[in-house]
C-alpha cells in the first residue's frame, strides 16, 4: 500500500484528495494548521495527522521526516488573504502572509521533500494545487492571483529541473471550487478525482477546458502589446 502526504488536508480540496486517496487504498500523512478539521479528516480516512504550518520551513522538514516512503506529495494548502482589490489597496501584512503560505508553502514543500524523493531513486510525484488565477489575470483579487502566478512558475521551473529523474511534478489549476475558501463552484470531490486521474495519466497541468482559450487569448493580448482584460470562459 503506497503512502501520500497532503497539506491543507483539514478542508476543501485537501480533504477531498484524502477521501479519494483513502478510497483507492493509499495510506495518508495529513498536514494542516486547523487541528479540529485535521483530526476529522484523519479519523475519516485512517490517516496520520501532523499539525504543520506550511509557511514554516522547519515544520515542513519535520513533515517530510514523518513521511518516509511517500510516493505522492500534495502541496495544496492555500489562503485568499483578507484584502481584495487593486495591488496598492492590499496591506503589506496581507501580501506577506498570502505569499508565505501560497508560495512559501510550495517552496518549503519542494525543499523538504524533493531531495528525499530523489535520494530513493524511485518514481514519485509532487502534485501542487495552483489555480486558474495563476494562469490568467482576473481583476481585483488582492495578493491571491499574483501568488498563484508565482506558484505556477515555481512548478514549471521544478518540472524542468526534474526532467530525466524518477520524480515528476504537476499542478491543478481549478476555477471556483466550493470549499472553505469559496462559497460557490464545482464540488471538491470532482476536482480531487480529476487531479488524481491526471497524475495517473501523466498530465502536467489540469486547466478547466472551458477556460483554456481565454487563458491563451489573454497571454496573446499581452505579448501583442495590449492591456489585458478579465477572461471569460467558453460558453459552448
Ligand atoms: N476554492 C477555490 O475556488 C479554489 C480554486 C483554485 C485553487 N484553489 C486552491 O486550492 C487549495 C485548497 O484550498 P480550498 O479551496 O480547499 O480551501 P479551504 O480553505 O477549504 O482549505 C485550505 C486548507 O489549507 C489550510 N491552511 C491554510 N493555511 C495553512 C498553513 N499555513 N499551513 C497548513 N495549512 C494551511 C486551511 O486550514 C484549510 O484546511 C488552495 O491552495 C487554494 O488556493 C482553490
Amino acid at each position: 500500500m503506497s503512502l501520500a502526504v497532503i497539506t491543507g488536508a483539514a478542508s476543501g480540496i485537501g480533504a477531498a484528495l484524502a477521501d479519494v486517496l483513502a478510497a483507492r487504498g493509499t495510506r495518508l500523512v495529513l498536514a494542516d494548521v486547523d487541528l479540529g478539521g485535521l483530526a476529522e479528516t484523519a479519523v475519516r480516512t485512517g490517516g496520520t495527522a501532523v499539525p504543520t504550518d506550511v509557511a514554516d520551513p522547519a515544520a515542513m522538514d519535520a513533515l517530510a521526516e514523518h513521511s518516509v516512503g511517500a510516493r505522492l506529495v500534495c502541496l495544496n494548502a492555500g489562503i485568499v488573504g483578507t484584502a481584495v482589490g487593486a495591488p496598492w489597496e492590499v496591506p503589506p501584512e496581507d501580501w506577506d502572509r498570502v505569499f508565505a503560505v501560497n508560495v512559501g508553502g510550495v517552496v518549503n514543500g519542494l525543499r523538504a521533500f524533493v531531495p528525499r524523493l530523489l535520494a530513493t531513486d524511485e518514481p514519485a510525484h509532487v502534485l501542487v494545487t495552483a489555480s486558474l488565477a495563476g494562469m490568467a489575470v482576473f481583476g481585483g483579487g488582492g495578493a491571491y492571483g499574483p501568488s498563484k502566478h508565482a506558484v505556477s512558475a515555481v512548478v514549471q521551473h521544478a518540472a524542468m529541473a526534474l526532467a530525466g529523474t524518477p520524480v515528476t511534478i504537476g499542478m491543478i489549476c481549478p476555477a471556483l471550487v466550493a470549499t472553505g475558501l469559496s462559497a460557490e463552484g464545482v464540488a471538491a470531490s470532482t476536482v480531487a478525482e480529476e487531479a488524481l486521474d491526471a497524475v495517473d495519466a501523466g498530465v502536467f497541468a489540469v486547466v478547466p477546458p472551458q477556460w483554456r482559450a481565454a487563458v491563451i487569448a489573454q497571454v496573446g493580448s499581452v505579448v501583442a502589446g495590449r492591456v489585458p482584460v478579465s477572461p471569460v470562459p467558453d460558453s459552448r
Side-chain angles (χ1 to χ4, degrees):
M1 195 191 260
S2 65
L3 179 70
V5 185
I6 306 169
T7 68
S11 170
I13 297 169
L17 285 168
D19 289 336
V20 175
L21 283 166
R24 294 182 183 188
T26 305
R27 286 184 301 121
L28 298 171
V29 174
L30 306 165
D32 209 291
V33 286
D34 169 3
L35 303 191
L38 185 60
E40 278 176 29
T41 307
V43 167
R44 204 174 56 244
T45 62
T48 303
V50 181
T52 308
D53 181 348
V54 298
D56 176 356
M60 286 301 279
D61 215 47
L63 179 66
E65 281 298 308
H66 262 97
S67 314
V68 174
R71 305 259 54 89
L72 174 66
V73 179
C74 303
L75 302 176
N76 163 80
I79 58 173
V80 174
T82 54
V84 291
W88 58 88
E89 295 169 337
V90 177
E93 54 279 13
D94 220 54
W95 279 105
D96 288 350
R97 188 61 188 162
V98 169
F99 268 71
V101 174
N102 293 2
V103 187
V106 171
V107 172
N108 293 335
L110 296 178
R111 289 172 58 89
F113 282 94
V114 169
R116 289 175 166 92
L117 296 176
L118 288 171
T120 69
D121 206 26
E122 284 175 21
H125 187 75
V126 180
L127 174 66
V128 175
T129 305
S131 174
L132 184 66
M135 291 279 112
V137 175
F138 296 82
Y144 182 78
S147 78
K148 289 295 183 175
H149 276 263
V151 168
S152 163
V154 167
V155 173
Q156 293 178 62
H157 276 278
M160 286 184 188
L162 287 167
T165 78
V167 179
T168 52
I169 187 168
M171 61 182 162
I172 56 171
C173 307
L176 288 178
V177 187
T179 66
L181 203 142
S182 164
E184 52 185 286
V186 299
S189 55
T190 304
V191 172
E193 291 274 7
E194 286 175 359
L196 295 168
D197 289 347
V199 171
D200 292 343
V203 174
F204 172 64
V206 180
V207 177
Q210 69 273 28
W211 284 99
R212 290 176 194 166
V215 170
I216 293 164
Q218 193 183 61
V219 173
S221 181
V222 173
V223 298
R226 293 188 294 274
V227 174
V229 292
S230 246
V232 287
D234 246 333
S235 53
R236 276 169 299 164

